Amino acid sequence: MKKTTSKSRSVQPSRPTKEACPICGVLYTVGVGLASHIRFKHANAPQALPVASKRAITTEADIRVVPIIDPKTHLQEAIDQLTARKSQIDQELGRAEGLQTESREVNKRIEALHTAMRAFGQESMAASG
């Protein structure tokens, strides 16, 4: 029997590349499960939201402190924003109503000019006839 010797090589096993979910940051092996995860876990989530970090472990630098807003303040801010938007809409509607009035006046003038052109055409025909 022959004794075979094999030289051991220092080969590192290839590690699969990980990809983070762009919405929640959970890591998945590329091509395995990420698309399915997004479809089922984030079906209604805006897809453009970036995750704070693509690392699985969160560090202190990744944590944002968001001040707590009491409900009354939150509601007042919403009322203020909607009131400002309503004011903008009312201004635009006023402009639209003004344009509609002007459009009706222009239509009347155009019709008067068409009437004058028809009358002028009939006078020309009567004079040449």
Side-chain angles (χ1 to χ4, degrees):
M1 280 188 136
K2 282 186 177 178
K3 191 174 184 182
T4 57
T5 59
S6 63
K7 294 182 181 178
S8 62
R9 295 182 187 170
S10 175
V11 177
Q12 293 184 357
S14 63
R15 301 175 90 190
T17 307
K18 297 277 186 174
E19 185 175 9
C21 170
I23 299 165
C24 68
V26 173
L27 291 176
Y28 286 89
T29 303
V30 172
V32 179
L34 179 58
S36 178
H37 162 79
I38 291 172
R39 256 192 325 274
F40 292 106
K41 293 291 184 177
H42 307 295
N44 297 325
Q47 299 299 313
L49 292 176
V51 290
S53 171
K54 289 191 182 253
R55 294 174 296 221
I57 300 171
T58 303
T59 64
E60 286 183 36
D62 295 331
I63 299 171
R64 288 187 302 148
V65 177
V66 178
I68 297 174
I69 300 175
D70 66 289
K72 186 176 178 183
T73 302
H74 182 70
L75 290 171
Q76 187 60 50
E77 287 179 5
I79 289 169
D80 293 344
Q81 290 174 357
L82 288 173
T83 302
R85 180 62 184 140
K86 173 127 177 48
S87 176
Q88 291 172 342
I89 291 169
D90 289 343
Q91 288 174 355
E92 290 179 30
L93 287 173
R95 238 185 353 259
E97 289 171 7
L99 288 172
Q100 288 175 347
T101 301
E102 184 179 356
S103 177
R104 285 190 294 270
E105 291 299 318
V106 167
N107 283 339
K108 288 178 186 176
R109 290 179 181 177
I110 289 172
E111 186 56 40
L113 291 171
H114 281 298
T115 302
M117 287 292 287
R118 285 191 296 270
F120 181 73
Q122 290 174 355
E123 287 179 11
S124 295
M125 291 173 60
S128 65

